[in-house]
């Protein structure tokens, strides 16, 4: 099983959610919303906290590394 992280950071209201879902379906090769999860972090998290400090785990959720 593969796990991808995509960070979209642009102005509000330009279609990030739309693009993210379409990209996920394209990568999977099938439109299956049960296999797509959106995560929104609180604004106090920095880019480095997400990219450098958190990693998805197989049981679900994230762990710090």
């Amino acid at each position: 099983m593969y796990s991808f992280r995509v960070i979209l950071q642009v102005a509000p209201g330009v279609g990030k959610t739309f693009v993210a879902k379409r990209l996920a379906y394209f990568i999977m090769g099938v439109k299956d919303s049960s296999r797509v999860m959106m995560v929104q972090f609180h604004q106090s998290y920095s880019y480095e906290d997400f990219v450098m400090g958190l990693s998805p785990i197989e049981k679900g959720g994230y762990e710090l590394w």
Side-chain angles (χ1 to χ4, degrees), residues 30-43:
V30 64
K31 185 176 179 180
D32 183 359
S33 61
S34 68
R35 295 172 55 193
V36 176
M37 181 177 71
M38 301 292 239
V39 177
Q40 180 177 349
F41 288 98
H42 189 271
Q43 62 191 13

Side-chain angles (χ1 to χ4, degrees), residues 41-54:
F41 288 98
H42 189 271
Q43 62 191 13
S44 67
Y45 278 95
S46 70
Y47 174 83
E48 291 79 11
D49 289 333
F50 179 71
V51 174
M52 301 301 226
L54 298 173

